[in-house]
Amino acid sequence: MKTIFSKEDIEQYAKKAKQCMEKCIIEMGGDIDENARDELNVDLEEDAVYEDNCFEGFFGQINSCRFGNKLFVEIKKLGDCDGYYKDWSMKTYMQTMYEICDGMDDVWVSNYEYIDDDPAFRAFFIAFLFDIDEFKYYEEVYKYCHDFCDQLENLIKRKLKGCYWDKKFEVDEMAFCKLYLTPFFKKIGFEQVIFNHGNKEFGKDFILVTKNLFGIKEYYGVQAKAGSLSGTATSNITEITNQINMGFNVPYKMVIGEEVYITKMLVAISGNYTDNAQAIIQTSVDKYKFANIIFLSKKELENHHVMVE
């Protein structure tokens, strides 16, 4: 996802789409070629719900509704599916899916219903919101949803087996941030977890808000990287050092307009620190800054008690 929409934003568009469904439903039909770029989202009729069959997996239907330059998309599962859940009941599977989605910022569970004695009345809907200036073609949106669901199903199975970690995190920085770090920081207990990844991050992929022992708000910055960080990789060490300095020196402007400075910086990587990487960084930043840097590698993140309990 390029622009990150809040759950509240998605919920508002879900209400609009529900009203549109009562007025106009258009069956799309046919298979979607995810690699094609034929169907422009801007050509979709406004205030009409387009229904289509979903990709293979848990969900069976995908609905889309355009409102100006926004495309609301809802992926639906209705009824039971014998044998799909293997070693787990459908209720356990759905509850786990809900917990994972609830920890993500840009997805909203728009319908979650389960009745033990009625296999037909079991529903799980996930909703997204896209800026069609960024997602020009419907096939792009469809592929995004497909990839998201594949990752989600993998995370569910890993969580049910007692393991959250996915090898994808070690090569895909965005997946590492959105699918692991965001729920991780929320589970630890930060009051706010602000995903700030982009060109204007100024050394901070996340802003984390907490209170110290005196009840005073403190702000942590996070610099996230996929893979390992080696002390022999001069360019990477220089980049990290520059981002640490920038993270401390450049304030972050909150939504209310207040500018805040971070008190601590987390350097979170999905691999390992090798070849004295931490020691080399230590010699490259001011002593007071290094005293307020926390290094987190795959080992600390994967085995933290909030992720394995």
Side-chain angles (χ1 to χ4, degrees):
M1 188 73 72
K2 299 175 184 178
T3 297
I4 305 296
F5 293 99
S6 69
K7 293 181 186 293
E8 291 75 18
D9 288 337
I10 302 172
E11 182 179 6
Q12 290 302 313
Y13 278 89
K15 293 176 181 177
K16 294 180 182 180
K18 186 175 181 180
Q19 294 174 347
C20 294
M21 183 171 284
E22 297 172 355
K23 300 175 182 178
C24 181
I25 298 177
I26 300 173
E27 297 284 346
M28 295 190 74
D31 295 329
I32 301 296
D33 181 356
E34 296 181 3
N35 298 314
R37 295 294 180 266
D38 299 323
E39 187 71 44
L40 289 167
N41 285 316
V42 72
D43 289 339
L44 297 178
E45 184 179 333
E46 288 198 63
D47 303 329
V49 175
Y50 287 79
E51 289 187 351
D52 201 358
N53 293 327
C54 218
F55 23 81
E56 290 185 4
F58 180 82
F59 298 94
Q61 182 175 314
I62 180 169
N63 290 356
S64 305
C65 189
R66 183 169 78 88
F67 301 95
N69 70 333
K70 301 293 189 298
L71 185 69
F72 172 80
V73 176
E74 196 169 50
I75 304 171
K76 298 185 174 184
K77 168 66 177 179
L78 288 167
D80 209 339
C81 184
D82 293 337
Y84 185 81
Y85 313 99
K86 299 180 175 63
D87 299 328
W88 311 289
S89 69
M90 183 171 187
K91 184 175 184 178
T92 299
Y93 193 94
M94 290 171 66
Q95 286 176 334
T96 304
M97 182 182 291
Y98 180 85
E99 291 170 5
I100 292 174
C101 291
D102 191 51
M104 298 179 185
D105 289 331
D106 53 351
V107 57
W108 181 60
V109 178
S110 49
N111 190 13
Y112 175 33
E113 297 174 301
Y114 183 93
I115 295 180
D116 281 317
D117 59 359
D118 186 359
F121 196 64
R122 296 174 182 179
F124 202 110
F125 298 178
I126 296 179
F128 305 90
L129 192 61
F130 297 88
D131 185 332
I132 64 175
D133 293 329
E134 299 172 346
F135 287 82
K136 188 175 181 180
Y137 296 95
Y138 176 74
E139 290 90 352
E140 289 181 278
V141 171
Y142 188 91
K143 186 178 189 305
Y144 176 94
C145 295
H146 191 177
D147 290 344
F148 176 91
C149 289
D150 284 347
Q151 293 175 16
L152 177 60
E153 290 185 29
N154 195 20
L155 283 175
I156 294 167
K157 293 171 186 176
R158 288 178 178 275
K159 182 173 182 181
L160 288 169
K161 291 177 181 178
C163 175
Y164 282 87
W165 197 263
D166 192 313
K167 284 287 185 181
K168 184 181 182 69
F169 301 154
E170 297 172 31
V171 295
D172 188 331
E173 187 172 303
M174 189 61 72
F176 176 48
C177 288
K178 292 173 60 178
L179 301 181
Y180 196 89
L181 289 181
T182 296
F184 174 75
F185 292 139
K186 289 181 178 180
K187 285 175 74 70
I188 284 178
F190 283 101
E191 292 182 8
Q192 283 182 268
V193 177
I194 304 169
F195 187 47
N196 188 47
H197 192 282
N199 295 329
K200 297 182 180 180
E201 66 190 47
F202 298 116
K204 299 177 280 288
D205 291 312
F206 288 88
I207 299 295
L208 310 177
V209 184
T210 186
K211 284 189 176 75
N212 62 23
L213 293 175
F214 300 98
I216 300 171
K217 279 190 177 181
E218 288 191 340
Y219 302 88
Y220 288 26
V222 181
Q223 184 56 226
K225 296 292 181 187
S228 296
L229 185 61
S230 170
T232 61
T234 305
S235 61
N236 288 342
I237 292 292
T238 301
E239 180 188 4
I240 288 289
T241 301
N242 290 339
Q243 289 172 333
I244 289 172
N245 286 321
M246 190 182 301
F248 278 109
N249 295 338
V250 180
Y252 175 78
K253 182 174 286 189
M254 303 293 284
V255 174
I256 59 175
E258 178 188 8
E259 289 190 339
V260 299
Y261 287 89
I262 66 168
T263 56
K264 294 187 183 297
M265 173 67 78
L266 308 183
V267 181
I269 64 173
S270 58
N272 302 305
Y273 294 99
T274 64
D275 301 312
N276 298 315
Q278 295 181 42
I280 294 171
I281 293 173
Q282 181 178 13
T283 64
S284 305
V285 299
D286 296 331
K287 289 184 179 179
Y288 86 89
K289 291 178 182 175
F290 188 81
N292 289 289
I293 298 172
I294 299 170
F295 293 95
L296 298 173
S297 68
K298 174 186 174 183
K299 180 180 179 181
E300 289 80 25
L301 292 167
E302 185 179 12
N303 296 313
H304 194 284
H305 73 88
V306 302
M307 301 306 276
V308 297
E309 65 186 6

Coordinates of all heavy atoms in Angstrom, one line a residue, residues 1-7 10 101 104-108 127-129 144 148 178:
M1 N 0.9 -1.2 0.0 CA 0.0 0.0 0.0 C 0.9 1.2 0.0 O 1.8 1.3 0.8 CB -0.9 0.0 1.2 CG -2.0 1.1 1.2 SD -3.3 0.8 0.0 CE -4.2 -0.6 0.8
K2 N 0.6 2.2 -0.8 CA 1.4 3.4 -0.9 C 0.9 4.4 0.1 O 1.6 4.7 1.1 CB 1.4 4.0 -2.3 CG 1.9 2.9 -3.3 CD 1.8 3.4 -4.8 CE 2.3 2.3 -5.7 NZ 2.2 2.7 -7.1
T3 N -0.3 5.0 -0.1 CA -0.9 5.9 0.9 C -1.5 5.0 2.0 O -2.2 4.0 1.7 CB -1.9 6.8 0.3 OG1 -1.3 7.7 -0.6 CG2 -2.6 7.6 1.4
I4 N -1.2 5.2 3.3 CA -1.7 4.4 4.4 C -3.0 5.1 4.9 O -3.0 6.2 5.4 CB -0.7 4.3 5.5 CG1 0.6 3.8 5.0 CG2 -1.3 3.5 6.6 CD1 0.6 2.4 4.5
F5 N -4.1 4.4 4.7 CA -5.4 4.9 5.2 C -5.7 4.3 6.5 O -5.4 3.1 6.8 CB -6.5 4.6 4.2 CG -6.4 5.3 2.9 CD1 -5.9 4.7 1.8 CD2 -6.8 6.7 2.8 CE1 -5.8 5.4 0.6 CE2 -6.7 7.4 1.6 CZ -6.2 6.7 0.5
S6 N -6.3 5.0 7.4 CA -6.6 4.5 8.8 C -7.8 3.6 8.7 O -8.6 3.6 7.8 CB -6.9 5.7 9.7 OG -8.1 6.3 9.3
K7 N -8.0 2.8 9.8 CA -9.2 2.0 9.9 C -10.5 2.8 9.9 O -11.5 2.4 9.3 CB -9.1 1.1 11.2 CG -8.0 0.1 11.2 CD -8.0 -0.7 12.5 CE -6.8 -1.6 12.6 NZ -6.8 -2.7 11.6
I10 N -11.3 3.7 6.3 CA -11.8 2.6 5.6 C -13.3 2.3 6.0 O -14.1 2.0 5.2 CB -10.9 1.4 5.8 CG1 -9.5 1.7 5.3 CG2 -11.5 0.1 5.0 CD1 -8.5 0.6 5.7
C101 N -5.2 -9.1 11.7 CA -5.6 -7.9 11.0 C -5.9 -6.7 11.9 O -5.6 -5.6 11.5 CB -6.9 -8.2 10.2 SG -6.7 -9.4 8.9
M104 N -2.9 -4.5 12.2 CA -2.4 -3.8 11.0 C -3.1 -2.4 10.9 O -4.3 -2.3 11.2 CB -2.6 -4.6 9.8 CG -1.9 -5.9 9.8 SD -2.2 -6.9 8.3 CE -1.3 -8.4 8.7
D105 N -2.5 -1.5 10.3 CA -3.0 -0.1 10.2 C -4.0 0.1 9.0 O -4.9 0.8 9.1 CB -1.9 0.9 10.1 CG -1.1 1.1 11.4 OD1 -1.8 0.9 12.4 OD2 0.0 1.4 11.4
D106 N -3.7 -0.5 7.9 CA -4.4 -0.2 6.6 C -5.3 -1.2 6.1 O -5.7 -1.3 5.0 CB -3.3 0.1 5.5 CG -2.3 -1.0 5.3 OD1 -2.3 -1.9 6.2 OD2 -1.6 -1.0 4.4
V107 N -5.8 -2.0 7.1 CA -6.8 -3.0 6.7 C -7.9 -3.0 7.9 O -7.5 -2.8 9.0 CB -6.2 -4.4 6.6 CG1 -5.5 -4.9 7.8 CG2 -7.3 -5.5 6.2
W108 N -9.1 -3.2 7.5 CA -10.2 -3.1 8.5 C -11.1 -4.4 8.3 O -11.5 -4.7 7.2 CB -11.0 -1.9 8.3 CG -12.1 -1.7 9.3 CD1 -12.0 -1.7 10.7 CD2 -13.6 -1.7 9.1 NE1 -13.2 -1.6 11.3 CE2 -14.2 -1.6 10.3 CE3 -14.3 -1.7 7.9 CZ2 -15.6 -1.5 10.4 CZ3 -15.7 -1.6 8.0 CH2 -16.3 -1.5 9.3
A127 N -11.5 -5.2 4.5 CA -11.7 -4.0 3.6 C -10.4 -3.2 3.5 O -9.7 -3.1 4.5 CB -12.8 -3.1 4.2
F128 N -10.2 -2.7 2.3 CA -9.0 -1.8 2.0 C -9.5 -0.5 1.3 O -10.6 -0.5 0.8 CB -8.1 -2.5 1.0 CG -7.6 -3.9 1.5 CD1 -8.3 -5.0 1.1 CD2 -6.4 -4.0 2.2 CE1 -7.8 -6.3 1.5 CE2 -6.0 -5.2 2.6 CZ -6.7 -6.4 2.3
L129 N -8.7 0.4 1.3 CA -8.9 1.7 0.6 C -7.7 2.0 -0.2 O -6.6 2.1 0.3 CB -9.3 2.8 1.5 CG -9.9 4.1 0.9 CD1 -11.2 3.8 0.2 CD2 -10.1 5.1 2.0
Y144 N -2.5 -6.8 -5.4 CA -2.2 -6.4 -4.1 C -3.0 -7.2 -3.1 O -2.5 -7.7 -2.1 CB -2.5 -4.9 -3.9 CG -2.2 -4.5 -2.5 CD1 -1.0 -3.9 -2.1 CD2 -3.2 -4.5 -1.5 CE1 -0.7 -3.5 -0.8 CE2 -2.9 -4.1 -0.2 CZ -1.7 -3.6 0.1 OH -1.5 -3.2 1.4
F148 N -1.6 -9.9 -0.4 CA -1.9 -9.7 1.0 C -2.4 -10.9 1.6 O -2.0 -11.3 2.7 CB -2.8 -8.5 1.2 CG -3.2 -8.2 2.6 CD1 -2.5 -7.4 3.4 CD2 -4.3 -8.9 3.1 CE1 -2.8 -7.1 4.7 CE2 -4.7 -8.6 4.5 CZ -3.9 -7.8 5.2
K178 N 5.2 -3.7 8.1 CA 3.7 -3.7 8.3 C 3.2 -4.9 8.9 O 2.2 -4.9 9.7 CB 3.1 -3.5 6.9 CG 3.3 -2.2 6.3 CD 2.8 -2.1 4.9 CE 1.3 -2.4 4.8 NZ 0.8 -2.3 3.4

